[in-house]
Amino acid sequence: MRIEQLQYLAAVTQHGSLRRASERLHLSQPALSEAISKLERELGVTLLDRRRSGARISRDGRELLQHMVEVLEAVDRLKVAAGDRSARSRQVRLGTVNAATTTLLVPAIARVQAEHPETNLELLTLQQPDIDQGLLEGSLDLGLVNVLGGDDPPVDLVGTDLVHGRPVVVLPTSHPLAARSHVTVDELREERFVAMRAGYLMHRFAHRIFGPSVPAGWHSTDGAEMGKTLVAEGLGVTLLPDYSVVGDPLERAGLITTRPIAGDQTVVTLVLRQRSAATVSPQVRALRTALVEAAREYAGSQAS
């Protein structure tokens, strides 16, 4: 068994296919596949499920993944102790549903960059099921997801509540409804609505409050950032957690504003997820700590 074989498997897990991993590793795809096949023969298990759509880590591979990660991180620590500066650099992959980007994520990245300049971050905007799957398979280190009260956490993932908030109506500041103290669901039905696409929590929440009678005008988009942009351009109104709007550049510029939903007491929580019982690298730990600190500062600012 060679360290390179473990690195190759980690690369395929991270990038989701042999082709993309081979491009990142600057290795031919047949050579990469053969190296992993040799590792599978030596361990006596199938590590990858190879499909036309790509290669994903198998159930057996998932059970062994943490042990492989521990070996690779031990090698990195050995290199650092021996003075290999290149081993200090480690990419952290975070999946996010684009919630609280300005409120939490940007300040956390700034802190990590200042305190751990050797850390590189890859931020992926994904739907919540894809984030949970990526965490389980090891292609993501951390995930930021929105959760409604009563939602059950996935098995084998642990979560840290960062921020609690409320779903709010997001409007152009010049919209007539912005003059109201709150907006009713019936009033929302009369507006062209910008919905999050199926797979996002706010898509589920919108269908919950509208029931079978949804707005006649209905745009769908991926993620809160595009939704806020469409609202700022006067192309509709949307529903988002308040912590996804407060402090946003569009809100600070006076282009969008929020109003409560009349009679709604729903609580939505931004949760930081990771694999349970996972050995966390110093870089992942630094980003996690920075997000928790940013959440604490945000909560303090809202309370004052």
Side-chain angles (χ1 to χ4, degrees):
M1 184 184 302
R2 305 195 320 273
I3 296 298
E4 290 84 355
Q5 290 173 300
L6 303 183
Q7 292 171 331
Y8 294 165
L9 180 65
V12 174
T13 300
Q14 177 178 346
H15 299 294
S17 75
L18 288 164
R19 179 184 60 79
R20 287 194 292 270
S22 66
E23 291 172 353
R24 184 62 63 93
L25 293 167
H26 304 291
L27 183 72
S28 72
Q29 187 169 324
L32 174 61
S33 181
E34 178 59 23
I36 294 176
S37 295
K38 286 182 179 179
L39 180 61
E40 290 175 319
R41 290 194 292 271
E42 183 169 352
L43 294 176
V45 297
T46 299
L47 298 171
L48 293 178
D49 289 330
R50 296 168 171 84
R51 306 171 184 172
R52 287 187 176 182
S53 58
R56 286 180 174 264
I57 193 164
S58 66
R59 182 181 296 274
D60 288 336
R62 189 183 303 169
E63 293 177 354
L64 296 175
L65 180 63
Q66 185 57 41
H67 299 291
M68 298 180 188
V69 170
E70 290 172 359
V71 170
L72 293 174
E73 290 179 349
V75 171
D76 282 343
R77 290 195 295 271
L78 177 61
K79 290 180 178 180
V80 169
D84 185 351
R85 295 180 62 86
S86 66
R88 296 178 184 271
S89 178
R90 163 52 156 91
Q91 186 177 67
V92 178
R93 290 169 58 89
L94 179 142
T96 174
V97 292
N98 251 344
T101 300
T102 302
T103 307
L104 299 187
L105 187 52
V106 171
I109 292 172
R111 175 174 173 171
V112 171
Q113 183 171 301
E115 298 179 1
H116 305 273
E118 75 282 358
T119 299
N120 300 317
L121 304 178
E122 183 172 359
L123 309 175
L124 298 94
T125 299
L126 301 167
Q127 294 184 347
Q128 182 170 326
D130 297 324
I131 291 174
D132 290 341
Q133 187 69 25
L135 292 170
L136 289 171
E137 294 181 348
S139 60
L140 295 175
D141 298 298
L142 296 170
L144 285 174
V145 300
N146 292 320
V147 175
L148 290 175
D151 286 352
D152 294 325
V155 177
D156 297 329
L157 295 181
V158 293
T160 300
D161 291 356
L162 295 180
V163 177
H164 300 287
R166 292 288 181 83
V168 291
V169 181
V170 186
L171 305 155
T173 304
S174 59
H175 196 285
L177 290 177
R180 306 284 297 278
S181 61
H182 58 265
V183 177
T184 68
V185 174
D186 285 339
E187 288 170 330
L188 272 180
R189 287 194 182 97
E190 299 302 315
E191 301 294 325
R192 180 168 291 278
F193 190 71
V194 178
M196 299 302 105
R197 198 160 58 84
Y200 289 98
L201 179 138
M202 296 310 294
H203 175 92
R204 175 157 56 97
F205 175 75
H207 279 277
R208 176 190 294 184
I209 66 167
F210 287 131
S213 180
V214 300
W218 184 284
H219 295 313
S220 293
T221 186
D222 269 315
E225 302 308 313
M226 178 58 72
K228 286 180 285 190
T229 299
L230 292 176
V231 171
E233 292 296 327
L235 299 176
V237 303
T238 192
L239 292 167
L240 290 173
D242 52 8
Y243 51 72
S244 289
V245 186
V246 174
D248 183 272
L250 295 172
E251 192 251 0
R252 294 201 308 265
L255 297 175
I256 61 175
T257 189
T258 65
R259 292 295 181 270
I261 306 165
D264 182 72
Q265 299 298 317
T266 302
V267 175
V268 59
T269 302
L270 183 68
V271 177
L272 178 63
R273 282 183 177 163
Q274 62 189 97
R275 291 188 303 279
S276 58
T279 300
V280 179
S281 70
Q283 294 85 354
V284 173
R285 189 179 305 115
L287 179 57
R288 185 185 183 283
T289 299
L291 285 164
V292 171
E293 286 297 319
R296 186 177 295 120
E297 292 171 2
Y298 172 76
S301 69
Q302 295 301 107
S304 60

